[in-house]
């Protein structure tokens, strides 16, 4: 019997390559295989259209647009996707704002494998 991975594919949108690589490594070590990456929203849009990711790790600060604007767009256009916001600015106001806009999780940078695992387990409960 094949193991069903309802949270895949996973898309990482972050302009810092090292962060994308690190998050990809963590997710791979947690057993996820279908992981996609984009450095900005304009390159992520066609990936979202084609692959329809179930989980999107989204940096709040991107060079081509604001993460909260992207979050609103994704929630309207792809309501099935679980968006996890990632930011080095983890003020209470920032976290609350992303929750109010429909994020299903928030990870403060720098993150670690335990934080990512916790968020993914929480998303599995939503599925």
């Amino acid at each position: 019997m094949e193991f069903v991975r309802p949270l895949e594919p996973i898309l990482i949108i972050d302009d810092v390559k090292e962060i994308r690589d690190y998050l990809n490594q963590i997710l791979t070590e947690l057993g996820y295989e279908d992981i996609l990456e984009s450095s900005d929203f304009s390159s992520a849009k066609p990936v979202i259209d084609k692959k329809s990711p179930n989980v999107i790790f989204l940096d709040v600060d991107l060079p081509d647009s604001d993460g909260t604007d992207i979050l609103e767009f994704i929630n309207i256009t792809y309501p099935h996707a679980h968006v996890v916001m990632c930011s080095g600015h983890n003020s209470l106001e920032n976290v609350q704002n992303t929750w109010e806009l429909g994020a299903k999780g928030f990870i403060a940078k720098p993150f670690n494998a335990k934080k990512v695992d916790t968020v993914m387990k929480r998303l599995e409960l939503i599925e």
Side-chain angles (χ1 to χ4, degrees):
M1 184 170 149
E2 187 176 324
F3 180 67
V4 177
R5 291 185 171 89
L7 297 179
E8 292 182 83
I10 299 168
L11 174 61
I12 302 166
I13 308 172
D14 199 301
D15 58 319
V16 179
K17 182 176 179 1
E18 292 78 14
I19 291 178
R20 290 193 314 269
D21 290 346
Y22 182 54
L23 185 51
N24 193 325
Q25 177 187 343
I26 290 171
L27 290 166
T28 301
E29 289 172 2
L30 291 174
Y32 298 97
E33 297 171 356
D34 194 357
I35 304 166
L36 311 160
E37 297 181 14
S38 291
S39 60
D40 55 28
F41 189 53
S42 53
S43 67
K45 268 186 173 178
V47 174
I48 295 170
D49 287 338
K50 185 175 182 181
K51 295 289 188 171
S52 192
N54 287 317
V55 176
I56 300 172
F57 285 90
L58 175 60
D59 186 13
V60 172
D61 299 313
L62 290 171
D64 64 343
S65 52
D66 179 74
T68 54
D69 293 338
I70 299 168
L71 173 61
E72 289 183 282
F73 171 81
I74 291 171
N75 284 336
I76 291 167
T77 315
Y78 307 96
H80 75 281
H82 302 301
V83 179
V84 178
M85 302 302 290
C86 305
S87 177
H89 311 288
N90 59 339
S91 68
L92 181 60
E93 180 183 334
N94 201 1
V95 175
Q96 282 181 325
N97 186 37
T98 59
W99 282 109
E100 289 170 6
L101 293 173
K104 300 291 191 288
F106 187 96
I107 296 181
K109 295 177 187 176
F111 47 81
N112 58 37
K114 185 175 181 177
K115 289 181 185 178
V116 174
D117 188 36
T118 300
V119 166
M120 294 303 287
K121 285 181 177 162
R122 195 175 306 135
L123 292 178
E124 285 176 3
L125 294 174
I126 295 172
E127 270 296 305

